[in-house]
Amino acid sequence: MPPHRRPASSCHSVRARPSGRFDAEIRSGDERIRLGTFDTAHEATRAYDAVAWRLGRSRRTMNFDDVWTREQAEMLAPPPAAITREQQRRQREMEQRLLIAERDEALRLEWARRFPEDVAATEAFYA
């Protein structure tokens, strides 16, 4: 059996990205909630702990034990914008549609530049 890989940040639900930033996520039932990308592992772990407090998790699952109340956790890390997989899928779909629309517009402008007589004929037809 291969040895277990230790995460680069050694914190619960925080992963180091190749860019040097840190990704935080938490599971709620079967759903994985992405908490965001942070500049430091410390920020990511604070965000994880704040959400863990909101979800009513035990203190054993938290990264820091210097927080005793939910108010302290929220002061250290404001509520993140939790992004679900469905929201990520919709965002990717919207970005793809925007790229297609931008390409269509660029091709239309190129066509109008190369064939001005067709543009004039079209405008005359609809006038």
Side-chain angles (χ1 to χ4, degrees):
M1 177 151 61
H4 287 320
R5 277 184 33 200
R6 288 189 53 95
S9 66
S10 71
C11 299
H12 290 290
S13 298
V14 174
R15 289 186 308 227
R17 289 284 178 208
S19 64
R21 298 189 75 201
F22 295 87
D23 224 16
E25 63 184 29
I26 192 168
R27 288 184 178 267
S28 178
D30 290 338
E31 190 170 17
R32 185 181 303 178
I33 302 170
R34 185 170 177 272
L35 303 177
T37 304
F38 301 88
D39 293 328
T40 65
H42 187 267
E43 292 173 351
T45 54
R46 286 294 186 187
Y48 172 86
D49 283 359
V51 174
W53 269 102
R54 287 184 191 94
L55 293 175
R57 302 281 169 88
S58 73
R59 288 183 38 83
R60 285 182 293 160
T61 63
M62 300 202 192
N63 295 301
F64 297 103
D65 29 344
D66 61 345
V67 178
W68 297 97
T69 64
R70 181 176 173 173
E71 290 77 24
Q72 283 179 323
E74 289 178 354
M75 283 178 22
L76 291 170
I83 301 169
T84 63
R85 286 184 186 254
E86 178 65 22
Q87 290 169 329
Q88 287 175 342
R89 186 189 63 74
R90 286 186 192 148
Q91 180 67 25
R92 280 194 307 270
E93 187 177 287
M94 182 62 74
E95 288 171 0
Q96 288 174 346
R97 287 181 180 175
L98 287 172
L99 284 174
I100 291 169
E102 288 173 0
R103 266 189 253 134
D104 285 350
E105 181 65 16
L107 288 172
R108 187 190 67 75
L109 291 173
E110 177 64 21
W111 175 79
R113 187 186 63 77
R114 291 179 66 192
F115 303 105
E117 63 278 355
D118 289 348
V119 174
T122 303
E123 288 175 357
F125 176 78
Y126 286 108

